[in-house]
Amino acid sequence: MRRRLLGLALLAGLGWSATSESAEIPADCQAQAPWGAPQWSGTEPHLTPLGRRAYVALHDDVKLVPDFVSWSLTAEHALGCLPRKDSFAPDPDLLPGHRAELADYKGHSGIYDRGYFAPNSDFEWDARVLRESFYLSNMSPQASHLNQWEWEMLEEATRSWALTRGPLVVMDGPIWKDPVETIGADEVGIPAAYWKVIVDGSGQVAAFIMQNQPTAKGDLTPHAVSVAQVEQAAGVALPLPANTDRGSVSAVWPVDLYALQKRKHVTCHIR
């Protein structure tokens, strides 16, 4: 950790930016984060804003995973038809030594996956944005049987809500606890938990927290929390509409995965 912080200081002296002040959303990504960037309640981590065509990430340059990711999700985008083509890659906009590498995840199969923050299935409507979702700057070491089970359920539910309640703004990020465990030679941080907050087309908000541990796929209700609980756990003030009720726990919105699958099959001509 000390080694990486010293490296950041050296790179800053060479003109490379990793701000410890308030992070900003790149101007061309305002549609992906319409209410701006979060504000950290303590010392803000060293962050690099990464503006993509379809999502924006604030990359933690010490833990080497994003601390905040935000994107818009429409019904059209939820029904994208491009096939998945795994193309995991280190982020070309981050310097070696200050980004996760493919080698960092090797040897952890079945324990930790390269878990998405902005999931690739939300971006199957365009080849470029789909490819950008595979950057390791959009991932963290996520318990395999969270990534493939309950976190996947939440991602599928979100696409279902894009059909019935959209367009949505989706944001998520990690929750950290000291000491931070790591994997790989680059010491990629392993989050203790994850949060996700979804704002629907009418401005209503749903919030969830899931621990980074194997969790059976099923009912999302046990993971529903208030925005205030997310903010307290993550140590941030989230960017949300001015009238957002941050103190109440919303009932989980109805999920119809069958309707989502049926619409997808019709749209993509799947037999």
Side-chain angles (χ1 to χ4, degrees), residues 11-270:
L11 288 167
L14 296 174
W16 183 81
S17 174
T19 179
S20 60
E21 299 177 355
S22 179
E24 295 184 359
I25 299 299
D28 57 352
C29 293
Q30 298 297 318
Q32 311 306 333
W35 306 289
Q39 299 295 315
W40 271 259
S41 57
T43 301
E44 183 173 291
H46 289 264
L47 299 170
T48 295
L50 298 169
R52 307 302 180 200
R53 183 179 170 196
Y55 71 91
V56 61
L58 299 180
H59 180 263
D60 188 316
D61 298 312
V62 174
K63 300 182 182 75
L64 307 187
V65 306
D67 271 326
F68 175 80
V69 180
S70 183
W71 66 102
S72 60
L73 182 62
T74 65
E76 179 183 8
H77 290 172
L79 297 171
C81 298
L82 291 177
R84 175 179 175 129
K85 182 179 180 181
D86 288 354
S87 53
F88 297 101
D91 196 309
D93 292 329
L94 296 171
L95 293 173
H98 301 279
R99 67 187 186 189
E101 304 286 350
L102 293 172
D104 292 317
Y105 285 87
K106 288 184 177 179
H108 299 281
S109 178
I111 302 172
Y112 292 112
D113 289 351
R114 293 165 290 200
Y116 295 89
F117 285 86
N120 68 290
S121 294
D122 287 6
F123 304 112
E124 292 173 347
W125 47 275
D126 180 273
R128 174 184 165 188
V129 299
L130 182 60
R131 184 173 63 254
E132 289 179 340
S133 74
F134 281 90
Y135 289 156
L136 295 182
S137 58
N138 180 40
M139 301 178 189
S140 72
Q142 189 171 52
S144 297
H145 288 156
L146 173 64
N147 177 51
Q148 300 169 30
W149 293 351
E150 190 72 331
W151 190 254
E152 182 182 67
M153 176 65 189
L154 181 53
E155 292 172 340
E156 292 171 345
T158 303
R159 286 188 286 276
S160 171
W161 295 328
L163 270 59
T164 59
R165 307 179 70 94
L168 308 176
V169 173
V170 188
M171 54 191 81
D172 56 15
I175 294 171
W176 302 104
K177 291 184 180 178
D178 290 328
V180 176
E181 296 184 14
T182 65
I183 63 169
D186 293 290
E187 301 175 6
V188 180
I190 304 172
Y194 298 90
W195 61 267
K196 188 183 290 284
V197 171
I198 303 150
V199 185
D200 77 1
S202 68
Q204 295 185 59
V205 176
F208 302 87
I209 290 177
M210 293 186 187
Q211 300 302 308
N212 193 10
Q213 61 190 28
T215 307
K217 191 171 185 177
D219 185 12
L220 294 171
T221 301
H223 311 289
V225 296
S226 67
V227 170
Q229 287 173 286
V230 169
E231 293 177 318
Q232 181 179 21
V236 298
L238 293 176
L240 293 167
N243 61 347
T244 298
D245 179 358
R246 295 174 184 257
S248 299
V249 179
S250 172
V252 175
W253 301 328
V255 177
D256 191 341
L257 295 184
Y258 174 77
L260 173 65
Q261 183 183 49
K262 184 176 180 180
R263 286 277 300 276
K264 181 99 170 178
H265 282 202
V266 170
T267 301
C268 301
H269 307 289
I270 300 172

